[in-house]
Amino acid sequence: MTLYGAAKVVVAPASRLVWPQRVEGAHHVPRRGPVILAANHLALIDPLFIGVACPRQVRFIAKQELFDEATLPKRALTALLRSFGQLAVDRRPGQSAQEAMDNSLAVLDSGEVFGIFPEGTRSPDGRLYRGQTGLAWLALTSGAPVVPVALAGAERILPSGRRIPSLNRVGVRFGEPVDLSPWKGLAHKARPRREATDAVMSAIAKLSGQEQVPRFAASVKAELEQRRDA
């Protein structure tokens, strides 16, 4: 058994006991070959729920700061992330974009499942924000199908600023792969990347029922922080 398999055997039942899951549409995830799971982002703990619900191992990009081993709790978190095959990336300006794209493409080139949160950060208010076009670049460059994923309830378990998770039911819904054939071969062009990304975000919104916001979540968060500091 792989380290991931062993971790899932232990973690999956425990997480379902604490946070009962309702999983729908898992059959939409292809059994073999590269796949991109594009999900809405509600809480830090979202990758856990997707990893437990998906029938295949899912690789996510995790920020470098989460791999800090300075204390025992941090070492435990680092070990859990690594056991689930998470990839560390430096998110400092000028470092994250190319490294993240290279690592993500390598995962897909090896025929694995890659999980991505197109919004780039957690939603500040539960609505679905504009997707970043790196998603479309990955999909159109690799040729991997994109399966939309909708999470529900995770925002009440570990919202931003909360340290101790609360008990709550979680829903994970997988949709049919999004048809990106109209933009095949156009990964190098900005407008097709935007259109393809918007198509995926619309599919996520249809699954989740969230209101879509034509803005980036990071920009809205920055504005909220400025207001709090004012």
Side-chain angles (χ1 to χ4, degrees):
M1 181 180 292
T2 64
L3 181 59
Y4 173 85
K8 191 164 184 176
V9 165
V10 175
V11 174
S15 69
R16 291 193 184 103
L17 181 63
V18 178
W19 303 294
Q21 284 190 9
R22 179 176 180 177
V23 179
E24 300 178 37
H27 62 280
H28 290 306
V29 180
R31 293 177 177 271
R32 300 179 183 84
V35 184
I36 297 173
L37 301 183
N40 58 338
H41 200 5
L42 302 174
L44 282 174
I45 203 168
D46 290 344
L48 171 64
F49 299 126
I50 294 175
V52 169
C54 184
R56 295 175 59 187
Q57 178 177 358
V58 187
R59 304 286 293 277
F60 287 93
I61 292 290
K63 61 183 179 180
Q64 184 68 48
E65 299 93 298
L66 290 180
F67 289 81
D68 182 0
E69 299 186 18
T71 64
L72 183 59
K74 289 181 178 180
R75 286 198 294 272
L77 176 59
T78 295
L80 180 61
L81 287 170
R82 287 177 174 160
S83 70
F84 271 79
Q86 305 308 286
L87 305 170
V89 64
D90 187 344
R91 300 206 311 182
R92 291 176 299 176
Q95 300 292 322
S96 62
Q98 189 58 51
E99 182 184 0
M101 289 296 99
D102 291 345
N103 288 341
S104 305
L105 192 58
V107 170
L108 295 169
D109 285 345
S110 64
E112 298 182 73
V113 180
F114 179 71
I116 186 171
F117 300 104
E119 291 167 281
T121 186
R122 287 164 287 161
S123 171
D125 54 17
R127 295 184 295 174
L128 186 67
Y129 284 79
R130 202 176 193 198
Q132 298 183 359
T133 59
L135 162 64
W137 183 87
L138 277 177
L140 299 176
T141 300
S142 66
V146 178
V147 173
V149 183
L151 289 157
E155 72 279 8
R156 296 191 293 272
I157 291 176
L158 195 62
S160 179
R162 186 185 182 99
R163 294 185 177 183
I164 301 176
S166 60
L167 303 180
N168 196 70
R169 290 184 176 275
V170 177
V172 183
R173 179 180 292 177
F174 299 88
E176 296 182 1
V178 181
D179 180 14
L180 299 182
S181 61
W183 304 283
K184 183 178 181 180
L186 299 175
H188 61 291
K189 293 188 175 183
R191 178 169 291 184
R193 289 198 303 269
R194 167 48 55 199
E195 292 174 349
T197 299
D198 289 347
V200 175
M201 299 309 293
S202 293
I204 295 173
K206 185 176 180 180
L207 285 174
S208 68
Q210 291 170 284
E211 175 189 349
Q212 285 189 266
V213 181
R215 297 188 63 194
F216 292 109
S219 298
V220 174
K221 282 187 172 183
E223 290 177 1
L224 293 174
E225 290 177 0
Q226 289 178 351
R227 292 173 188 172
R228 284 195 294 267
D229 295 339

